Amino acid sequence: MARWKFPVGIFKAMRIAWINLWRKNIVIQYPHERYELPERARWSVEMTLDENGHHTCTGCKICENTCADYIINIDVSVDEERNKHINHWLYQRGACMMCGLCVEACPFGAIHMGKNIELAYFDKEDLTDDLLTDTDAVKPPRKERPAPTAKSEPVSQEAAHDGAGKTGKSTKEEGGADGDNS
Amino acid sequence: MNPWATGILHTLLLIVVMLLNGSLIIYMLRKVLGHLHLRLGPTELGPGGILQLVPDIVKLLVKEDRHPGKTDRWLYIIAPVIVFVPALMAYIAIPFSDKLIGFDVNLGVLMLFGFLTVIPLGIFAAGWGSHNKYALIGATRAVGGAISYEIPLLLSALIPIMLTGSFSLKAITMAQTTSVWYWLPAFPAMIIFFICSIMETNQSPFDMSEAESELVSGFNTEYSAMRFGFMYLAEFSNNFIMAAIMVSLFFGGWSLPFINPNTMGAFAPIVFIIKTYLVIFAFMFIRGTFSRYRVDQMLAFGWKKLMPIALVYTVVVAFFVKLISMKTGGGL
């Protein structure tokens, strides 16, 4: 039989509960008040628009190949002049895990992780989103690379000599090695 | 007027009172627990979410009434009725004022406790008839708890009865208007009664019979729709009844200090209901503060602590009552 002690804890707990009863609540009334998302919050993928309000997707499909969930499907058609035309840029929002790999992979910064947190829909079809429909792809800006050296350019004499000397040396070394072996 | 018609009308009135009480207490519980947790409870429908009562009740009414297979059919069907009817009948003996009382029985307290004792039977019938292990465990716990806590409950209720010399709730209330309210001379009895009331109404920290974290929902696991609604309403109605008995026995019923109880008139029931809701608030405060006991702790507390205290205190009070009545020649 343990020694009986006065149950102080009960009254402590009741005091704390009484204080809490009159404290201001810590709840955000969601539809009426909004929580300010942190700067780095990542939600569903969105198209990045330039200053003219135009997308910058080139239809290169790198994001589609990067996607771990196979949820990006870009339907691209190419005409005779090798201009790409994006028919559909399908993005299954319902299956996306917001990992951001596609954004990292995009070499043109055409997509970014948006801040739209309201991803509940009444209809199953709304979960698949067509981000771009029937638009021309942007031609990627070509870097001015140095003109490639022509293969037909004759090798200079020195270089040829050097090469020969090198080969000579190498053959000698090889020969020596052979001698050692024999 | 035809006695049958009056009887039916009175019963309907009681049902309306019970439904209103039940839904109000449900709303109040959600609000109080919400504020205890630094939340708000219901807010959207109506001012302060008060209209949330309507969809709550409508939901219970229009849900599909599923009858699981393999149940003990008759027990399963009749159990909510066994739980609901005593909770309804107990309103008969509650004295809202000296005129507003369903039926002033001179054994009112015993009648009330008699009704309330039937409720664990219905709970056990529900648990047994559900053919579900969780329901059965919940039901057995409910019965064990009720058996162990009703004895101290009755013993502590005996003390105001002894002080008054009557079993009628109205007489007890009237006796308190002339002397002091009984919670002062019978303070330990009031505390014991309060603890046992919490047990009797299946509330946390003694809500063994529907411990959501251990048993799915206890004895009403397999119940849905209005059958569940009966149980649910009965539970909250019991809450009101226990609080009303407590107010009648220990807090002077519909009387106020320094006011002649015969001149209160229509104000008396309002006072009674306000007092009752304050006691219900105390129940809810306890419910939101403490965590659940283990079942063995609960039974040990009931048998080893409350029972001896209640017994000893009853004997002591009886001794002093007898002493005083011998000195004064009968009566307190």
Side-chain angles (χ1 to χ4, degrees):
Chain A
M1 185 74 188
R3 270 183 58 229
W4 190 80
K5 285 195 297 188
F6 189 74
V8 186
I10 290 177
F11 297 100
K12 277 187 183 172
M14 282 165 80
R15 188 178 139 262
I16 290 166
W18 184 255
I19 290 168
N20 276 340
L21 189 59
W22 305 110
R23 264 171 68 186
K24 195 176 173 295
N25 71 77
I26 53 170
V27 191
I28 292 174
Q29 296 277 168
Y30 166 61
H32 314 299
E33 303 170 21
R34 296 291 169 137
Y35 173 66
E36 198 167 321
L37 284 173
E39 197 184 338
R40 294 177 56 195
R42 294 195 313 222
W43 292 88
S44 60
V45 173
E46 290 171 0
M47 282 286 149
T48 309
L49 303 178
D50 58 8
E51 59 273 7
N52 305 325
H54 199 266
H55 71 91
T56 56
C57 178
T58 59
C60 66
K61 294 198 178 187
I62 289 178
C63 51
E64 180 176 342
N65 295 329
T66 312
C67 180
D69 284 345
Y70 308 106
I71 58 162
I72 300 176
N73 290 298
I74 310 174
D75 179 12
V76 178
S77 53
V78 188
D79 61 5
E80 305 84 44
E81 297 171 12
R82 299 183 64 196
N83 292 323
K84 282 186 176 174
H85 184 82
I86 301 173
N87 301 323
H88 293 293
W89 207 102
L90 286 177
Y91 165 58
Q92 296 172 42
R93 190 177 279 134
C96 179
M97 61 179 176
M98 314 328 181
C99 63
L101 286 174
C102 51
V103 176
E104 282 178 34
C106 182
F108 306 103
I111 46 179
H112 67 275
M113 303 301 277
K115 293 225 187 311
N116 175 23
I117 55 169
E118 287 157 336
L119 302 176
Y121 298 99
F122 288 100
D123 204 342
K124 203 165 78 172
E125 274 69 45
D126 293 343
L127 287 173
T128 305
D129 203 6
D130 202 349
L131 295 186
L132 294 175
T133 321
D134 201 19
T135 51
D136 284 331
V138 176
K139 281 218 178 243
R142 295 221 177 262
K143 287 180 187 164
E144 283 302 321
R145 281 186 295 195
T149 51
K151 287 177 186 173
S152 57
E153 201 174 273
V155 185
S156 62
Q157 292 282 329
E158 286 181 1
H161 271 287
D162 281 356
K166 276 177 188 171
T167 49
K169 268 185 185 176
S170 63
T171 47
K172 267 184 189 176
E173 284 168 9
E174 283 170 12
D178 288 344
D180 285 351
N181 286 338
S182 65
Chain B
M1 201 171 171
N2 187 353
W4 283 98
T6 52
I8 287 167
L9 280 176
H10 282 171
T11 313
L12 281 176
L13 185 76
L14 278 183
I15 288 177
V16 167
V17 168
M18 179 176 172
L19 276 172
L20 274 175
N21 255 327
S23 46
L24 257 178
I25 293 171
I26 291 168
Y27 168 74
M28 181 178 161
L29 176 75
R30 291 167 76 175
K31 276 304 225 193
V32 170
L33 284 187
H35 281 282
L36 275 169
H37 301 160
L38 306 184
R39 296 184 285 111
L40 288 171
T43 55
E44 290 299 308
L45 278 174
I50 188 94
L51 289 180
Q52 186 69 41
L53 312 178
V54 182
D56 276 354
I57 294 171
V58 170
K59 179 203 70 168
L60 286 177
L61 285 169
V62 300
K63 268 177 97 168
E64 184 190 2
D65 185 13
R66 284 195 56 99
H67 191 117
K70 290 192 173 181
T71 52
D72 192 332
R73 191 176 179 84
W74 282 110
L75 274 182
Y76 179 85
I77 288 170
I78 207 168
V81 182
I82 300 177
V83 174
F84 183 80
V85 170
L88 180 67
M89 286 170 81
Y91 278 89
I92 291 172
I94 293 177
F96 288 93
S97 75
D98 58 342
K99 295 193 178 55
L100 195 70
I101 177 169
F103 186 57
D104 185 20
V105 212
N106 55 4
L107 290 175
V109 185
L110 277 187
M111 191 173 97
L112 274 175
F113 285 129
F115 286 144
L116 290 176
T117 316
V118 180
I119 290 171
L121 188 71
I123 289 176
F124 193 73
W128 180 265
S130 289
H131 197 276
N132 174 324
K133 57 186 169 191
Y134 299 110
L136 188 59
I137 293 171
T140 46
R141 284 181 179 190
V143 173
I147 288 171
S148 51
Y149 277 76
E150 258 169 15
I151 303 164
L153 183 84
L154 281 164
L155 284 172
S156 54
L158 267 180
I159 286 155
I161 293 164
M162 280 193 296
L163 291 172
T164 314
S166 163
F167 273 100
S168 159
L169 277 169
K170 195 170 158 183
I172 292 170
T173 308
M174 291 304 281
Q176 288 178 76
T177 57
T178 52
S179 68
V180 70
W181 289 356
Y182 285 154
W183 70 273
L184 275 172
F187 187 75
M190 195 268 287
I191 298 290
I192 292 169
F193 193 91
F194 185 77
I195 292 169
C196 297
S197 304
I198 293 172
M199 175 63 230
E200 192 71 15
T201 52
N202 282 332
Q203 289 210 21
S204 177
F206 302 117
D207 59 342
M208 291 298 134
S209 55
E210 40 183 310
E212 293 91 359
S213 48
E214 304 164 30
L215 319 169
V216 182
S217 178
F219 61 93
N220 47 31
T221 299
E222 294 288 357
Y223 282 90
S224 62
M226 208 53 221
R227 290 187 214 277
F228 173 73
F230 277 141
M231 301 252 197
Y232 201 54
L233 274 172
E235 194 178 311
F236 286 104
S237 163
N238 286 348
N239 219 327
F240 181 85
I241 289 160
M242 290 310 295
I245 298 173
M246 194 162 168
V247 166
S248 303
L249 290 178
F250 295 102
F251 296 109
W254 34 262
S255 67
L256 282 174
F258 317 118
I259 295 176
N260 185 1
N262 300 321
T263 59
M264 285 174 82
F267 192 55
I270 297 169
V271 171
F272 183 87
I273 285 171
I274 286 172
K275 279 184 184 179
T276 309
Y277 270 83
L278 283 174
V279 174
I280 291 171
F281 174 80
F283 283 153
M284 287 173 184
F285 184 73
I286 298 290
R287 181 176 182 159
T289 306
F290 296 111
S291 48
R292 190 181 303 124
Y293 268 47
R294 261 193 344 252
V295 66
D296 57 325
Q297 287 173 331
M298 179 190 84
L299 291 175
F301 181 67
W303 287 104
K304 295 178 187 172
K305 298 215 168 55
L306 284 184
M307 188 89 72
I309 293 170
L311 272 170
V312 169
Y313 188 68
T314 313
V315 171
V316 168
V317 169
F319 175 75
F320 277 105
V321 166
K322 186 71 184 166
L323 208 70
I324 292 166
S325 67
M326 278 167 74
K327 273 184 86 171
T328 56
L332 273 174

